[in-house]
Amino acid sequence: MQSFSEKNVCAAEEPQKSSEKKKSKKGEIDYAAIKDYWNEQHDKTNSAMRRLTLMTENRKEAIRGRLKDCKGDISKIYLAIDKAMASDYLNAGHSWASYDWVMTRKYFPKVLEGNYDNTKPATSQQPQSAAAKAQDPSATARPSIGELYEQAKRQQPASQQSQDSKFRWVIQQNLEDLKKNPNNKPAKDSLTRYYERGVLQRLGIDWKPEK
């Protein structure tokens, strides 16, 4: 057992571990609860991102890393999940969009900061780095809906960039994708989300999910 002085020495040498010590006193991280929350929100929002099957050691390590970045605030993990599930951009069928992507050190703070929120689309939403493209070469084989949208947005006057016009543009892209491939699941999931939120009805677009 460490003496009081020894504990002080450890604290001085490793101040970054103070939050981890506090956490261990309160209890270990409930990784299963985080996995279950992701899956529950996935089902509630009909997310295009995949459900979690296993909480692997790599995923646990990522959670510990993000908690360290957030000074042990576990609520930030759940907030990032909420924001990711609510983001139309992250649920537009991108092959790279996933739980693991959300929990990376590079993109986790961007999700928290609202870079992918529906009300504030940002050009930084597209991972353009060579490393990101190398991890998923198929993502660059064909422009994604988000990439096409950003290209079109730059060509549109400011008066046409209202939230509804942005929604309408993405919806039309999904409908076109369904015409080409009636079994396109990401397009169906995206349209279903808009239908459940009443966006399709408000815009006068006649489409209903299959029962």
Side-chain angles (χ1 to χ4, degrees):
M1 179 179 296
Q2 290 180 313
S3 67
F4 178 80
S5 60
E6 288 174 330
K7 290 182 179 180
N8 285 343
V9 169
C10 291
E13 292 178 346
E14 301 178 339
Q16 72 275 16
K17 293 186 179 180
S18 60
S19 60
E20 295 177 9
K21 292 180 180 179
K22 291 180 181 178
K23 231 182 315 176
S24 64
K25 291 179 181 179
K26 295 179 181 179
E28 296 183 356
I29 302 169
D30 193 342
Y31 299 107
I34 295 173
K35 178 175 78 72
D36 291 343
Y37 189 76
W38 173 275
N39 289 338
E40 288 171 6
Q41 296 305 108
H42 171 281
D43 296 343
K44 286 180 182 178
T45 61
N46 197 23
S47 173
M49 292 182 282
R50 294 183 180 180
R51 298 177 95 255
L52 284 181
T53 302
L54 298 174
M55 181 55 72
T56 64
E57 287 303 318
N58 285 341
R59 287 171 173 168
K60 290 179 182 179
E61 183 178 353
I63 290 173
R64 291 193 293 270
R66 302 299 74 77
L67 279 175
K68 185 176 180 180
D69 295 338
C70 297
K71 298 182 179 179
D73 187 353
I74 191 69
S75 67
K76 293 296 191 296
I77 300 293
Y78 291 98
L79 177 59
I81 292 174
D82 288 339
K83 282 180 168 287
M85 291 299 177
S87 169
D88 289 330
Y89 181 81
L90 294 183
N91 286 279
H94 304 295
S95 57
W96 46 262
S98 65
Y99 168 88
D100 295 321
W101 183 90
V102 171
M103 292 297 164
T104 59
R105 187 171 191 178
K106 180 176 181 179
Y107 293 108
F108 181 82
K110 294 183 179 182
V111 173
L112 281 180
E113 291 165 2
N115 285 25
Y116 308 98
D117 288 359
N118 297 333
T119 55
K120 296 188 296 182
T123 55
S124 62
Q125 289 171 340
Q126 303 174 44
Q128 295 293 334
S129 69
K133 291 181 179 180
Q135 291 176 359
D136 187 10
S138 63
T140 60
R142 175 179 178 274
S144 67
I145 291 174
E147 291 168 339
L148 291 172
Y149 165 65
E150 290 297 336
Q151 293 171 11
K153 188 179 70 173
R154 287 191 288 269
Q155 299 171 1
Q156 294 176 345
S159 60
Q160 297 180 10
Q161 295 185 23
S162 66
Q163 185 168 340
D164 278 354
S165 69
K166 295 169 187 174
F167 285 159
R168 186 185 296 276
W169 193 93
V170 175
I171 291 168
Q172 291 299 332
Q173 292 298 310
N174 286 325
L175 290 173
E176 289 179 12
D177 285 346
L178 277 183
K179 286 182 181 179
K180 298 175 183 176
N181 179 12
N183 296 319
N184 188 317
K185 188 176 184 302
K188 284 183 179 180
D189 289 345
S190 180
L191 287 170
T192 299
R193 284 161 56 84
Y194 283 117
Y195 177 82
E196 291 175 346
R197 294 179 181 180
V199 176
L200 296 182
Q201 297 89 319
R202 186 175 73 249
L203 297 179
I205 298 175
D206 184 18
W207 187 91
K208 293 182 180 181
E210 299 175 353
K211 295 183 179 180

